[in-house]
Amino acid sequence: MGALDTDNRYSGVTAREKLYGYLERQPAGAHTAELVGLLFQGAGSDPELGPRIVHRLLADDPNFMFDVATGMWALRACEALKVPLERGRYVVVDLETIGGRPGPGTITEIGAYRMEGPRMTESFATLVRPRGPISPFVTRLTSITNEMVADAPPIERVLPAFRDFLGDAVMVAHNAQFDFAFLDFEFRRVFGMGLKNPVLCTLRLSRRFAPSLRRRRLDALAEHFGLSTEGRHRGLGDARMAAELLSIFLDAAAQSGINRVDRLIDLHSRGAAGRRIERHLPPEAIAALPAAPGVYLMRNERGDLLYSGKARRLRERVGSYFNSAIGANAKTADLVSHVYAVDTRVTPSALDAALLEARLIRELKPPYNRMLKGMAQAYFVRLDLMDAFPRLKLSTKLSVRRGVMQLGPFVGRGGVDRAVRALGRILGLRTCGGKLAPEAGFSPCIYGQMGHCAMPCNLSVDEDAYGARVRRAVEFLRGRVGPLLGELARAREQAARAMRFEEAARFQRELESLTTLAARAERLSRVVTENNLIIVVGAGESTLAHVVLSGRLALSRPLADAADACAVAEFVAANYESYRARPVMRDELDAMAIVARWLLEREAADGRLVHLRGPILDPAALSPPAGKAEPAETSSP
């Protein structure tokens, strides 16, 4: 059996503190055996030893209480939560802010209702003067203008009154993670201590008690339950809707047998698999993480690496594991329950974070990276131009073969798959796999019989005629979409005039699919293997240049001075043509996919692109224009 440390120290905190933190998150209490498992690595051969140690440790501490009837330990402070739902005290809150991330003075309005069980009793509402301006977008959304908050009190004056209004009640909000993050940030900044109230989220409660609903926005839920949506996107209006939803969910919880506040919070603290989420990383440790891009490494109690991930903003990403664990799947819940420490490595950009993450996973092989998906699946449209009869297909992997045209990445399969099928059907490209050996008497597949394929398999078209169809597909994928979309539009109109409405509807669906594909392809930089550019990230002494030649990450080099810029230009001149001439190597694929995805998802502040039109690069193009912030894109002559 694993022994308890002789001085009762356990990963930087005492064993009693460890149990206190665990029971603080489980107001309904926990059995002695559960606490024994928290302190010991194994049960050992003496089943009575662990319970005896727990009783000796906690029996004389006034913070803990033991219920002999149930055999459960709980915190004395949680006793106030052991009341029926209809006698519980709740404060339902909604915030309006100037942005999506917590920061000093980012709250513009607080609206809240105090509730005694399902009944609203008092309200709290105030505008707050933020430290920064309110953007036109936020004004359109909330109707709160800069003029409206000009004379409002700052958050430092508002927060003490709100803290008194909140008291020790259960805090409730719709998408409570958002409101909690902003309030917890300001509580720490103003009072030196984070928000300690128990939390319920009406969004997550809707998943429990209205699982069949697909739309779970606050107004959508209000409309579903027949509630008024007056005052939407204002603090008090949204708080009222959330309070009315809470009343409905309290009734649903009671009908399902959950009749006490502590038991509802306990249910709320369970993951998707129904297990409790054990959080060993204190909020202070998460709050101390940098807000910069980088890589985080999650470690267990012994310091072993469990999981490595990348983040555009480290503090926000790591916090999402612990703040959002209620809705986590079983594997993520298991990971969170084993994390005791998180190391971070700050990088100049999100691109460098993704590249470093891939290298660390490849070298260190963290066990949970094999179990958890790092990101949504990405797809590439592929056309093998070395085949005499190319097939248009969708693939999750880049190919190393020469002459393969690859466009992407496209995140999400549905829309792009429909578009690829439509493009292949319109142009008569084959869908069957393998190499063709055409024979005049060959019986075509069902797609050929339906007219969806030009049937090169039985010599209905020869190689030259099929090649003309392939060239039209290549032109479309390279951005010359007008001719094909025009033909589809004319075919749709002709079918409609002839009253062939089902055929016209099919043409319309194909037109919509291909228009969407064209728009998504246009947002990509260009065909993956034709990317020739330099990505400049960071600033000052941390500036880096990533040279991408024929889609491959050919060089990453600091740009500390003019000599570095000249060295990059010399590298491009020496390697531009050689990268075009040689095929993709297998060890280049990961970086290719990472760069392609970053180009798709990048934000304006992520870095500057210098497109290469040939092997000649002016080193000055790597420096930002004098007196300006780095622009989004630059072209090199």
Side-chain angles (χ1 to χ4, degrees):
M1 179 179 69
L4 189 67
D5 294 343
T6 54
D7 65 346
N8 283 344
R9 301 302 296 177
Y10 213 79
S11 296
V13 298
T14 65
R16 189 178 284 109
E17 287 172 330
K18 186 183 182 72
L19 297 178
Y20 187 96
Y22 183 74
L23 290 173
E24 189 177 32
R25 298 186 296 272
Q26 317 297 343
H31 287 281
T32 301
E34 194 171 346
L35 302 185
V36 171
L38 195 67
L39 293 180
F40 295 91
Q41 296 180 5
S45 57
D46 184 353
E48 297 181 0
L49 178 60
R52 283 204 305 269
I53 292 177
V54 171
H55 277 266
R56 188 176 66 185
L57 191 64
L58 303 183
D60 296 329
D61 192 322
N63 291 306
F64 300 87
M65 55 186 298
F66 181 70
D67 188 330
V68 177
T70 62
M72 297 179 72
W73 286 94
L75 293 182
R76 200 170 297 277
C78 292
E79 190 68 12
L81 297 175
K82 299 181 186 298
V83 296
L85 294 177
E86 65 271 14
R87 287 171 45 201
R89 294 184 298 110
Y90 315 92
V91 169
V92 187
V93 62
D94 183 84
L95 306 180
E96 302 301 334
T97 68
I98 61 174
R101 296 194 298 273
T106 53
I107 297 173
T108 60
E109 186 177 33
I110 300 178
Y113 278 95
R114 184 178 286 154
M115 299 181 67
E116 301 290 339
R119 298 172 299 282
M120 288 181 279
T121 58
E122 296 179 73
S123 65
F124 179 99
T126 180
L127 289 170
V128 184
R129 185 173 74 247
R131 291 191 179 183
I134 302 174
S135 69
F137 171 79
V138 172
T139 293
R140 288 193 298 272
L141 183 69
T142 65
S143 75
I144 299 175
T145 66
N146 288 294
E147 292 74 20
M148 291 170 61
V149 298
D151 296 325
I155 190 66
E156 291 82 1
R157 285 174 49 196
V158 169
L159 214 55
F162 177 72
R163 181 176 62 173
D164 292 341
F165 184 84
L166 179 62
D168 59 358
V170 178
M171 191 191 104
V172 185
H174 195 73
N175 190 16
Q177 178 187 345
F178 177 89
D179 301 86
F180 178 88
F182 277 84
L183 287 172
D184 185 67
F185 180 92
E186 293 292 16
F187 267 58
R188 290 178 187 281
R189 188 175 68 85
V190 176
F191 303 128
M193 179 180 293
L195 195 59
K196 298 299 183 182
N197 297 64
V199 177
L200 287 173
C201 176
T202 52
L203 173 63
R204 289 167 181 165
L205 290 175
S206 74
R207 296 192 182 110
R208 294 283 185 185
F209 300 118
S212 62
L213 297 182
R214 297 184 61 184
R215 298 168 61 240
R216 300 183 186 277
R217 296 194 317 272
L218 185 57
D219 51 355
L221 288 172
E223 290 173 1
H224 172 79
F225 288 108
L227 309 177
S228 170
T229 58
E230 183 180 356
R232 179 71 172 116
H233 293 307
R234 289 298 301 269
L236 203 59
D238 284 355
R240 176 190 52 74
M241 279 186 275
E244 291 174 347
L245 286 174
L246 177 64
S247 297
I248 293 170
F249 294 141
L250 290 178
D251 182 62
Q255 291 183 24
S256 65
I258 305 166
N259 52 17
R260 283 192 346 206
V261 175
D262 60 331
R263 291 171 180 167
L264 180 61
I265 295 173
D266 186 53
L267 176 72
H268 192 264
S269 300
R270 296 176 184 268
R275 57 166 291 174
R276 281 177 174 168
I277 306 297
E278 301 172 29
R279 300 172 180 85
H280 307 295
L281 196 67
E284 295 79 13
I286 297 174
L289 295 177
V295 170
Y296 55 92
L297 298 96
M298 294 180 164
R299 301 185 182 277
N300 66 11
E301 199 170 7
R302 297 186 302 273
D304 302 328
L305 180 63
L306 299 176
Y307 183 78
S308 176
K310 68 180 186 305
R312 188 181 298 277
R313 289 172 284 271
L314 284 164
R315 184 191 308 147
E316 183 178 319
R317 180 69 183 106
V318 173
S320 70
Y321 284 92
F322 299 88
N323 296 332
S324 304
I326 296 167
N329 60 39
K331 291 179 181 178
T332 301
D334 187 65
L335 168 64
V336 169
S337 296
H338 286 85
V339 173
Y340 282 76
V342 176
D343 301 333
T344 59
R345 300 186 187 181
V346 175
T347 60
S349 71
L351 173 59
D352 295 276
L355 294 169
L356 177 58
E357 178 205 33
R359 179 170 65 82
L360 291 175
I361 292 173
R362 187 169 58 250
E363 294 174 357
L364 303 178
K365 299 178 174 58
Y368 279 86
N369 284 93
R370 296 194 296 269
M371 297 168 58
L372 302 171
K373 287 186 177 180
M375 55 185 177
Q377 186 67 270
Y379 296 87
F380 295 87
V381 177
R382 182 187 297 179
L383 195 61
D384 186 357
L385 301 178
M386 301 299 287
D387 192 332
F389 300 96
R391 177 168 63 112
L392 192 64
K393 62 178 293 188
L394 206 58
S395 175
T396 58
K397 297 180 180 179
L398 287 166
S399 173
V400 299
R401 301 213 318 273
R402 184 190 297 272
V404 177
M405 179 181 179
Q406 301 171 105
L407 182 68
F410 297 94
V411 179
R413 182 184 180 94
V416 68
D417 184 49
R418 287 191 296 272
V420 166
R421 291 177 180 272
L423 182 60
R425 183 169 59 247
I426 292 165
L427 297 177
L429 302 183
R430 69 187 184 99
T431 59
C432 52
K435 294 287 184 181
L436 284 189
E439 297 180 7
F442 189 83
S443 178
C445 66
I446 186 64
Y447 293 102
Q449 297 174 29
M450 294 171 61
H452 293 173
C453 172
M455 297 184 294
C457 56
N458 68 359
L459 297 177
S460 293
V461 294
D462 59 20
E463 186 174 337
D464 290 340
Y466 191 86
R469 297 169 181 265
V470 172
R471 286 191 292 276
R472 293 194 67 193
V474 171
E475 289 177 356
F476 182 90
L477 294 174
R478 290 184 189 277
R480 191 167 177 263
V481 301
L484 188 59
L485 295 182
E487 289 179 18
L488 265 179
R490 288 190 292 273
R492 178 196 59 191
E493 298 305 323
Q494 290 173 2
R497 283 195 297 269
M499 292 188 291
R500 299 193 303 273
F501 298 118
E502 290 187 4
E503 185 179 355
R506 178 171 61 82
F507 284 132
Q508 177 62 26
R509 289 194 298 271
E510 292 174 342
L511 188 63
E512 291 172 354
S513 294
L514 292 181
T515 300
T516 301
L517 176 64
R520 294 182 68 180
E522 186 179 3
R523 287 199 298 270
L524 302 177
S525 60
R526 52 188 73 176
V527 177
V528 177
T529 52
E530 295 177 8
N531 276 324
N532 289 285
L533 55 102
I534 298 173
I535 303 169
V536 182
V537 298
E541 296 181 356
S542 300
T543 305
L544 286 175
H546 297 289
V547 180
V548 180
L549 299 178
S550 296
R552 285 154 277 186
L553 184 60
L555 175 71
S556 294
R557 181 186 176 104
L559 285 178
D561 51 35
D564 291 323
C566 291
V568 171
E570 292 170 2
F571 178 87
V572 171
N575 293 276
Y576 187 90
E577 296 298 339
S578 63
Y579 269 82
R580 292 183 64 188
R582 71 170 177 82
V584 177
M585 307 300 290
R586 191 163 296 280
D587 60 3
E588 296 173 322
L589 293 177
D590 283 348
M592 284 183 72
I594 289 170
V595 169
R597 185 166 184 139
W598 180 87
L599 289 169
L600 170 66
E601 298 177 345
R602 73 187 182 95
E603 297 178 357
D606 283 346
R608 183 164 53 93
L609 306 185
V610 179
H611 288 291
L612 301 171
R613 312 303 180 191
I616 306 303
L617 168 69
D618 180 1
L622 301 181
S623 300
K628 295 183 180 180
E630 292 199 347
E633 297 196 16
T634 308
S635 292
S636 176

